[in-house]
Amino acid sequence: MTMITERSRGLILSDVSLNDLGIKVERIKDLKDLIKYMKHQTFGDEPTLVAYRGVWRDLDKIFEEANVNGVNLYNLDFIDTYLEKHFAKNLINIERIIYARFIRLFYSETIKTPVRISGSKSITRRDLLRSHIRTILQYINKPIVNDKMCLMLPHCNICVDTCPKKAISGKPPSIQYNLCDLCGLCISVCPVEAIYTPQTTSRSIEEYLSIIKKFSREPMKIVIIQYHLLKDLMNIRSEDIKYPFIVLPVWSLKEISSLMILKMIYLGFTPILYGEETINHLIDLFRLGAIKLVNNLNELITLLSEDTLYKSRREEIPGFRIYAVETLSLFTNESSLNFPGASYIEIDKDRCTLCGACVRTCPTKALRILDVNNERRLVFEPLQCISCKECENICPEKALRVRWLFKRDYYQEEKILTSSPIVHCSICGAPIETEIFISRVEEKLRKAGAYEALKYTRICEKCKTKLILQSMIE
């Protein structure tokens, strides 16, 4: 098993013997043992995985105790060691599941969990003396923004424009949590996945899946389930399980983005969402038949018994949107999307001057200028595009439009979006600019009445300087 190389922050409380993980491990066997730890003033300040048989049955009491003590619940995860071992059957052992789920917590950003002072909590004097200010704190599961990732796209305001509650503003964006209802749209539309909830970051999900994949290369189902519904899984019998599956608990199904779902399928996991929420931000994936949502145990058992199993495309997630394009091809030949899973660029060739502004701003180098003989081309590599619309936003001529659209045959090779002959200096023959660029400049000069300047539009800077100096001398 791959271990963390040095002693890491975090704690595992488990009834399973775990050795040499590079993580602090303490043995507990039940709720009584756990409550003792929860009364410590620092409990929940770091990623903490609680893993013992029957823990899902105790979740209501654990949540209640965490609320009294001001514990950041989003720093915690819970594994029923008996059930999850049987759910996975022989594909992966419980020790590796525990390790994978801890790594998921380790790569979360729960230290940034939004917090507010609660005016509604009932607090005893004893609680206040024991836990101090923590007792009046209330951690909330709302999106946070990775400023560094966001600023990779300096002109992007997709989340601001998409938010139905107008809760997002600025660059990098700030979120008004009193307006945000965690609809999941901002999480799903961000091209660089810079918006997420504290526990469910793109990195944490990828790390979790990659570890599971490393130890089990067979296709598996994955049940994405709200924490408060985990106890429902205790009613699944061994004979109900036709195919092995793993569990991914979340506080809200709206934390899961479309890109996360596509990564799961790409790696060979068949996702089933189990919860009571309306999931509008994933509507395209439901429409394409890529995922299923159920809200009762009988429906879940039926889906777990179905033969549908997505096979792994590769052993790890490739860069850019290769995983998304290859996964979408399993379900459709062409489809519009409400998330940046695939892109299709439309260009107005009469407006584009090949000035190169789009090329300079593209964060993934999906666009480039290529000179071939006496022609300048704007070349597009679709598989490198992350659908961020930076090129569309920066284009001075408004000649580009980036559509979130999947077309199966569009990604086979690079595209020449437009081209124009290169104009050479009428005096020395040096290349100057494209014909369409110079024609556009000449058009604007005529409109401005600057007819004298028209004499110099097809002359290079060096020759132009000589002519001007010569006219001054004469």
Side-chain angles (χ1 to χ4, degrees), residues 25 85 88 91 173 224 228 246 261 263 311 355 377 435 448:
V25 178
K85 175 183 177 181
L91 288 188
I224 306 167
H228 72 278
I246 58 171
I261 293 290
K263 289 173 186 177
K311 294 182 179 180
C355 68
R377 300 172 178 175
E435 174 64 41

Side-chain angles (χ1 to χ4, degrees), residues 314-327:
R314 297 188 197 177
E315 297 304 315
E316 57 185 25
I317 299 293
F320 308 120
R321 289 289 187 269
I322 296 173
Y323 70 89
V325 168
E326 291 189 11
T327 303

Side-chain angles (χ1 to χ4, degrees), residues 91-328:
L91 288 188
I92 183 168
N93 63 40
I94 190 61
E95 291 83 1
R96 289 168 175 171
I97 291 175
I98 289 174
Y99 180 69
R101 288 271 282 280
F102 177 82
I103 292 300
R104 180 239 177 144
L105 279 180
F106 184 82
Y107 284 106
S108 68
E109 296 189 20
T110 50
I111 194 172
K112 299 179 182 177
T113 304
V115 63
R116 61 189 174 201
I117 303 296
S118 174
S120 59
K121 289 176 69 173
S122 178
I123 303 167
T124 66
R125 182 172 180 272
R126 180 181 178 183
D127 293 333
L128 187 58
L129 289 173
R130 183 179 63 195
S131 301
H132 305 292
I133 194 173
R134 283 168 49 121
T135 57
I136 61 173
L137 297 180
Q138 183 181 16
Y139 293 91
I140 55 178
N141 190 38
K142 295 293 177 71
I144 57 176
V145 180
N146 185 315
D147 291 354
K148 184 176 181 180
M149 292 173 63
C150 176
L151 291 174
M152 291 169 58
L153 309 178
H155 307 96
C156 178
N157 285 301
I158 296 175
C159 60
V160 176
D161 298 336
T162 300
C163 180
K165 299 293 184 179
K166 305 302 179 185
I168 308 176
S169 60
K171 185 70 179 183
S174 59
I175 301 173
Q176 298 183 58
Y177 293 121
N178 60 318
L179 298 178
C180 174
D181 63 357
L182 186 58
C183 66
L185 284 175
C186 62
I187 296 173
S188 203
V189 300
C190 180
V192 291
E193 299 178 274
I195 306 180
Y196 38 72
T197 53
Q199 191 182 88
T200 309
T201 70
S202 178
R203 172 95 186 261
S204 70
I205 297 300
E206 285 186 39
E207 293 288 343
Y208 170 59
L209 295 176
S210 67
I211 292 174
I212 296 293
K213 191 66 184 174
K214 179 178 181 179
F215 294 120
S216 175
R217 299 180 184 275
E218 296 297 320
M220 299 179 72
K221 295 180 186 281
I222 180 170
V223 175
I224 306 167
I225 182 172
Q226 293 174 268
Y227 272 103
H228 72 278
L229 296 176
L230 281 170
K231 57 181 177 291
D232 288 2
L233 303 185
M234 299 180 70
N235 295 313
I236 296 180
R237 301 168 301 174
S238 297
E239 55 266 30
D240 294 329
I241 307 172
K242 182 176 181 180
Y243 295 105
F245 69 94
I246 58 171
V247 177
L248 176 62
V250 292
W251 299 99
S252 168
L253 297 179
K254 297 174 183 180
E255 302 173 56
I256 300 295
S257 71
S258 297
L259 293 179
M260 290 180 189
I261 293 290
L262 293 181
K263 289 173 186 177
M264 293 177 193
I265 297 174
Y266 187 86
L267 290 175
F269 296 96
T270 304
I272 302 171
L273 280 70
Y274 184 83
E276 303 163 333
E277 298 171 294
T278 301
I279 316 296
N280 292 326
H281 70 293
L282 300 179
I283 190 169
D284 281 344
L285 296 184
F286 286 119
R287 174 175 54 82
L288 294 174
I291 53 174
K292 300 286 181 62
L293 171 68
V294 295
N295 56 21
N296 68 71
L297 192 61
N298 289 333
E299 290 180 349
L300 176 61
I301 291 172
T302 298
L303 289 181
L304 289 173
S305 301
E306 287 185 356
D307 292 334
T308 302
L309 280 173
Y310 300 134
K311 294 182 179 180
S312 175
R313 312 284 285 188
R314 297 188 197 177
E315 297 304 315
E316 57 185 25
I317 299 293
F320 308 120
R321 289 289 187 269
I322 296 173
Y323 70 89
V325 168
E326 291 189 11
T327 303
L328 287 168

Side-chain angles (χ1 to χ4, degrees), residues 353-354 374-377 418-422 434-437:
T353 63
L354 289 105
N374 289 321
E375 183 181 69
R376 180 161 296 171
R377 300 172 178 175
T418 188
S419 62
S420 179
I422 297 174
T434 61
E435 174 64 41
I436 192 167
F437 183 90

